[in-house]
Amino acid sequence: MNSIKICIVGSGPAGFYAAQHLLKKLPTSKVDLYEKLPVPYGLVRYGVAPDHPEVKNVINTFNKTASHSNFNFFGNVSLGVDLNIKQLQDAYNIVLLTYGAAKDKTLGIPGEKLDNVISARRFVGWYNGNPEDQDLNPTLQPSITILGQGNVAIDVARILLSPIDQLKETDITDKALYTLITSPVREVNIVGRRGPIQAAFTIKELREMIKLPNVSTLWRETDFEGVEEIVTKLQRPRKRITELMLNSLNSQKDIKRICPKIFSPIFYRSPIDISESSVKLAKTMLMGDSSSSSARAVVTNDVEFLKTDLVIRSIGYKSINIDPSIPFDEKLGCIKNEDGRVAPGLYTTGWLGHGPTGVILNTMNNAFAVANHVCDDLNNNKSLGENKPGSEYTLNVLKEKNIQVVKWKDWEKIDEYEINEGKKLGKCREKVTDINKMLEIAS
Ligand code: FAD
Ligand code: NAP
């Protein structure tokens, strides 16, 4: 019998978990994982905060999948540049797109393109060593305002305000560490357009922020009017995080001495204009049930100027459409699909398939579900199982284009190099941040 040839594009959690499940359910299939960068793991390597190394343990599971004899990793191959969808469809029975969300949502307000406004996605990529973000080289400032209140905003605030001792042995790049050591940051505001009950950050991340040594968390009392009255009626996770905020607010009244650094969450404010020295915020009101996460923010005519030196936009990521033949929902910023199905033999999952939210666990569950649909479809539609050449075809195309394909054993050389470089600096790893250098080590 022919072996089913499957290709997956994007080696983040969605790609790896889908590969794991497909190899388990279809043990005779061949699974080829293509990745734009010479290195694997997507946002586990370039998103997850360096001071959360335990989250990166999922890499052990991915490495186990990579050791399967029917699995291949083809790094340094970009879909839409080096190969197109048609070529993948010619070569494989199943094409599964998991290339994530490589752009930012934007606010669309005046001043957003000023030099003092940077993207949280790029800032995170910069401190995590993503080669694509090394040119950001941010100049940190005493007062920084982050727009958006998701966990990415919290990650960024924590990295900016953490004592250096908590970062210096992590895999944060040495360059970023130096910038932070010499940083003048004194105050980080995080601004949300809705209220405390709608905040997008989660309890573990908030607790970590509140407990940071040498940092005072300062809430605005007016943001919590009416919150105490409804807190007992909230569902358990929302109740617990709201209680944490209220406790922190109450303890702030007893503070005798404000720490040298300040973390300041601000609610009910929507940015409407940015200048070199401030953000103009419109006060908002909630429409709908104000105790529900679905309440909407509506701007009022009341405005406030928040003085700040640097603005970091953290309102979410966005996927891009790589090939005009793929049906794409521009508004949601993801591929149009039904339970991961895009067209016969073409699937999507991960942030590209369901939008740029969800932790690794959500991404894993979705990847497993879509992998199950692939198996069902292969069972029910025999025409999907016709003989296909797989990587024999694509590797020829790449060879003709002179593309240096990075295989798993090549990545292992880069991995070893980084760990050794890290040892010299007393860190768990020092990432290579230049693609040519990666390719040189790999070859
Ligand atoms: P990604 O991880 O983005 O993977 C996509 C992959 O596709 C990347 O490797 C990319 O290089 C590749 N690619 C892109 N374009 C192409 C192309 N054209 N051709 C080939 N390959 C391509 N979750 C947690 O559980 N805990 C955390 O602590 C946590 N921290 C996070 C911190 C940040 C800053 C962010 C943004 C997210 C965090 N998450 C966390 C969420 C988690 O990272 C996501 O759920 C998960 O990474 C989504 O997986 P994905 O595979 O869909 O996308
Ligand atoms: P997010 O959780 O969706 O948060 C986006 C934030 O931006 C929200 O506060 C949102 O407000 C705000 N926003 C969106 N559009 C806006 C606009 N036009 N004007 C003003 N504010 C706007 O996105 P994220 O922070 O990028 O995180 C993405 C996912 O990764 C999340 O699921 C997150 O949990 C996960 N993640 C997890 C961790 C972790 O586990 N430690 C770390 C980082 C990321 P509204 O709520 O009002 O829309």
Side-chain angles (χ1 to χ4, degrees), residues 2-293:
N2 304 323
S3 71
I4 297 292
K5 310 283 186 340
I6 299 175
C7 90
I8 302 177
V9 182
S11 71
F16 264 108
Y17 281 123
Q20 175 189 331
H21 208 65
L22 288 164
L23 286 165
K24 185 173 146 200
K25 296 270 168 170
L26 305 166
T28 59
S29 65
K30 299 250 185 255
V31 176
D32 294 342
L33 182 53
Y34 290 84
E35 165 59 49
K36 170 176 70 165
L37 292 168
V39 295
Y41 312 135
L43 285 169
V44 176
R45 180 176 160 99
Y46 289 131
V48 171
D51 57 342
H52 285 172
E54 69 292 347
V55 178
K56 302 187 196 207
N57 287 340
V58 293
I59 285 174
N60 297 329
T61 311
F62 302 161
N63 291 349
K64 206 165 155 218
T65 299
S67 70
H68 195 291
S69 54
N70 285 351
F71 174 93
N72 283 302
F73 175 75
F74 299 133
N76 196 39
V77 180
S78 185
L79 176 64
V81 180
D82 307 317
L83 288 173
N84 59 38
I85 290 280
K86 166 90 174 48
Q87 287 166 321
L88 292 182
Q89 287 176 316
D90 286 346
Y92 291 92
N93 303 94
I94 302 293
V95 175
L96 172 56
L97 303 176
T98 65
Y99 62 79
K103 290 275 177 252
D104 292 340
K105 282 189 188 138
T106 52
L107 289 157
I109 60 172
E112 196 173 2
K113 295 204 172 116
L114 287 171
D115 289 346
N116 61 320
V117 184
I118 61 175
S119 133
R121 180 185 58 80
R122 296 205 73 216
F123 185 67
V124 167
W126 170 77
Y127 65 63
N128 273 323
N130 189 332
E132 293 172 349
D133 298 314
Q134 293 313 297
D135 61 332
L136 184 71
N137 279 327
T139 307
L140 299 181
Q141 302 288 346
S143 166
I144 298 183
T145 295
I146 304 174
L147 302 175
Q149 289 184 330
N151 280 331
V152 171
I154 294 278
D155 271 1
V156 169
R158 192 180 66 256
I159 294 296
L160 288 168
L161 291 171
S162 283
I164 287 302
D165 279 353
Q166 290 188 11
L167 297 175
K168 67 177 191 220
E169 290 173 10
T170 71
D171 65 0
I172 191 168
T173 64
D174 224 37
K175 189 166 87 172
L177 198 61
Y178 180 76
T179 304
L180 290 166
I181 288 172
T182 53
S183 123
V185 178
R186 291 286 165 264
E187 166 195 63
V188 176
N189 307 303
I190 62 165
V191 179
R193 59 182 167 178
R194 299 191 288 159
I197 290 170
Q198 290 80 27
F201 48 71
T202 45
I203 190 161
K204 182 174 159 284
E205 286 61 36
L206 177 64
R207 189 175 288 124
E208 214 178 343
M209 244 354 272
I210 290 174
K211 283 190 174 163
L212 272 188
N214 268 331
V215 179
S216 293
T217 300
L218 296 185
W219 307 89
R220 290 181 171 185
E221 231 175 309
T222 47
D223 286 347
F224 287 83
E225 277 165 12
V227 171
E228 203 135 18
E229 288 74 14
I230 53 171
V231 70
T232 53
K233 296 186 196 115
L234 300 172
Q235 299 269 335
R236 196 172 144 73
R238 187 49 73 183
K239 181 169 172 260
R240 285 183 55 225
I241 190 171
T242 310
E243 283 169 348
L244 178 64
M245 288 188 246
L246 285 169
N247 286 342
S248 174
L249 168 73
N250 289 332
S251 65
Q252 141 189 336
K253 291 171 194 153
D254 305 326
I255 292 176
K256 305 264 178 313
R257 186 186 67 91
I258 303 254
C259 293
K261 294 184 183 174
I262 290 170
F263 170 60
S264 179
I266 297 171
F267 295 95
Y268 300 112
R269 297 290 183 275
S270 191
I272 50 174
D273 198 347
I274 305 175
S275 74
E276 269 96 13
S277 57
S278 70
V279 188
K280 187 175 177 186
L281 300 168
K283 296 187 185 174
T284 63
M285 281 174 15
L286 290 185
M287 287 282 277
D289 177 2
S290 60
S291 65
S292 149
S293 59

